[in-house]
Amino acid sequence: MKLIQITDIHLTTPGDTIGGRDPNANFERALTHALDHHPDAEAIIVTGDLSDWGEAEDYARLRTRLSDVEVPVHLCIGNHDDRETFLATFPELRDDAGFVQKVVPLSVGNAVLLDTWESGTHAGSYCDARAAWLDRTLAALDGPVWLFLHHNPVPMGMAAMDQIMLLDADRLGGVLERHREKIAHIFHGHCHLPLSGQFRGIPFSAPRGTNHAGWPDFGDTQVLAGCDLPEAYAVIQAHRPGDLMIHMVEYGYAGEIRREGSPDKAEWDRLTMVR
């Protein structure tokens, strides 16, 4: 199984930039790079912040762009999105309770996409209705389950970011603990930083994002910090249940790629190897 995780694309009105970068061009570059280098991917999952301001025009352009992508693309929504505006363009993604949640069957297990959006806040929410849906869904599935959501469920240790994490993490955690043996990994976005850790004993990870990058400023308690690190997406590989490899591909890197030497130790040479 190979999946591509793209996150925090922040589409804008054409010509508008964020941090001096063009989110529309950078998403196009990410998508093109992923499709060129990983045509064998089973699916591309975009974990939220599809639009920077939750605008209908952004979703319309996104739908048009995805219409001719041969690899299936699945969407979560994030805090910069607007659920009803998004669903007006993607009505087939509305579940029975009005949320953007679904199950994606894969060659190794199933991906479960969650909706952590909440009106009027950048923080994430996972209410009783969504938690009940997830409980029923996990009860009906065999493992492994790969969970995808926008908001981070574990504090980052940075005050400003911790104000806008998934505030209902305990409710989500309670559901996951009941099905712990089925859940192989959690993938999230939101933070614009490469992260890894555990939530209720379940490993999680996040890549950087396709436009502006975050910066781990642990001292600033008031504002979020950004920087000019390369844009990135994640490649997720699972050859069998229990084995997982995740790459963060910095497709925005513009420097030299060196061919440093053979993996055959017998061919290593102090004079010829790149150092």
Side-chain angles (χ1 to χ4, degrees):
M1 179 192 80
K2 179 188 282 187
L3 305 176
I4 304 297
Q5 182 193 3
I6 293 175
T7 196
D8 294 273
I9 64 178
H10 286 266
L11 299 181
T12 58
T13 300
D16 288 354
T17 61
I18 302 174
R21 301 182 183 188
D22 183 340
N24 303 304
N26 280 327
F27 172 61
E28 180 62 34
R29 290 171 60 220
L31 195 59
T32 299
H33 192 279
L35 293 170
D36 285 349
H37 289 82
H38 306 284
D40 56 336
E42 291 184 30
I44 297 170
I45 300 176
V46 188
T47 48
D49 281 0
L50 310 173
S51 168
D52 195 45
W53 293 100
E55 294 177 329
E57 294 81 3
D58 295 336
Y59 299 132
R61 282 185 286 105
L62 177 61
R63 179 154 201 141
T64 298
R65 177 62 185 92
L66 298 181
S67 64
D68 62 354
V69 175
E70 294 185 1
V71 176
V73 181
H74 306 281
L75 305 174
C76 300
I77 57 173
N79 51 292
H80 279 258
D81 293 306
D82 180 85
R83 185 187 290 125
E84 290 307 315
T85 306
F86 169 79
L87 287 172
T89 301
F90 294 92
E92 72 279 7
L93 299 185
R94 184 190 299 270
D95 73 6
D96 291 342
F99 299 109
V100 184
Q101 304 197 121
K102 65 185 294 188
V103 176
V104 178
L106 299 168
S107 62
V108 179
N110 295 273
V112 177
L113 279 58
L114 305 186
D115 179 341
T116 58
W117 182 87
E118 187 63 41
S119 178
T121 178
H122 285 299
S125 177
Y126 209 65
C127 63
D128 287 335
R130 282 172 275 190
W133 174 88
L134 181 60
D135 201 16
R136 294 192 302 272
T137 297
L138 293 176
L141 290 175
D142 294 326
V145 170
W146 317 95
L147 211 63
F148 290 82
L149 69 161
H150 181 69
H151 290 84
N152 54 303
V154 173
M156 296 177 65
M158 295 184 285
M161 281 301 301
D162 289 347
Q163 293 178 40
I164 59 172
M165 63 174 282
L166 180 63
L167 299 184
D168 292 333
D170 285 342
R171 180 178 291 114
L172 174 63
V175 175
L176 299 187
E177 285 173 341
R178 289 195 287 276
H179 306 278
R180 170 68 187 87
E181 73 285 354
K182 297 181 180 181
I183 303 165
H185 200 86
I186 300 169
F187 302 90
H188 70 82
H190 187 49
C191 303
H192 295 244
L193 287 166
L195 299 169
S196 62
Q198 290 188 335
F199 176 59
R200 300 298 193 273
I202 302 166
F204 69 77
S205 61
R208 184 174 294 131
T210 63
N211 194 67
H212 44 302
W215 181 258
D217 187 346
F218 294 92
D220 195 325
T221 62
Q222 300 298 320
V223 297
L224 310 178
C227 65
D228 291 320
L229 289 168
E231 303 89 352
Y233 62 83
V235 178
I236 302 158
Q237 298 170 305
H239 302 291
R240 61 183 182 182
D243 292 344
L244 182 67
M245 175 59 69
I246 304 168
H247 297 265
M248 189 177 76
V249 178
E250 294 180 307
Y251 71 94
Y253 172 69
E256 178 186 4
I257 306 296
R258 296 183 297 274
R259 308 304 181 199
E260 296 190 338
S262 167
D264 185 348
K265 189 172 183 179
E267 296 182 7
W268 288 19
D269 187 308
R270 285 179 181 269
L271 296 178
T272 60
M273 290 193 68
V274 176
R275 284 290 181 270

